[in-house]
Amino acid sequence: MATGGIVTALSAADGAVQPVPLVAAYALLTVAALIGATRRNAADRYRLAVERADILETRHEIERRLAALEERSRIAREMHDILGHSLNAVAVLSEGARHAVRSDPERADAALADIGRLSRSAVDEVRDLIDVLRTEDDHVDRAPAPSLADLPELVSGFRSTGTVIRTRVDGDPGSLPGHLGCTAYRIVQEAITNAVKHAPGAAITIRVTIGDADVDLLVTNARPAVPRKAGDGQGHGLIGIRERVRAAGGTVEAGPDPATGGWRLHARLPRRRPC
């Protein structure tokens, strides 16, 4: 109605509309429309910015929760490895000490010393893991994670059982990233524990090859004096090993060794995980 009034007022007496005032009126309408569109676009951009910020915040929260779940899964694997290795080793050492206490007191004493050392070490490691679960602080102090450089100490813990363990390491364990060195250590640890548990008295051979592209782990044990129980090779220990290897982007094979009648575990871990 206002526009109609303006146009009517600007009309000549003969009823013809003057062209210049009409152009000015349309210009005013165009400016008003542009201002309205600009305001609507600004409102839309603001709304989209708010929605995008909400999406980013939600994504960050999901990523944080997934990272927390992954960390707790890693801690659960660590807990299994620590307790499984320690308890099985203590059981074997205790049995050896019981048999040697009269015939070989020195060997019995060495076994008891190893039991004490393993127990204290396991308690310390489990305490560290529990502290991580109890706190939200990502920078909580923890004992250094084990690595292949700790392999001699790991093997020495089984000496008093009478088990012959041969090791060979080619390459520099110190050149490996911390997470990879820990993964390799835990795999060897679990393989030794399984061999001692299921093939008591059988000699164990460990070969570690640290190359430029990957870490090759081969753990074998000879035929046990007492035949091991038939199984499908899907015990919790091997499941844990496969989970670790898969998380590292590697490959693993485990099963009876036709050449020796014993058991063979072969894992390969890439130094850089494939995309």
Side-chain angles (χ1 to χ4, degrees), residues 173-242:
S175 68
L176 297 177
H179 68 280
L180 184 58
C182 181
T183 296
Y185 175 92
R186 293 300 188 194
I187 291 172
V188 174
Q189 181 187 54
E190 187 64 38
I192 295 175
T193 302
N194 287 343
V196 170
K197 178 180 178 181
H198 297 292
I204 301 172
T205 301
I206 303 167
R207 191 189 73 191
V208 178
T209 305
I210 302 172
D212 295 333
D214 55 30
V215 179
D216 192 90
L217 307 172
L218 179 63
V219 182
T220 61
N221 61 261
R223 183 193 303 272
V226 179
R228 60 181 289 156
K229 295 180 180 179
D232 59 1
Q234 298 297 325
H236 291 294
L238 286 177
I239 291 175
I241 287 176
R242 290 190 173 97

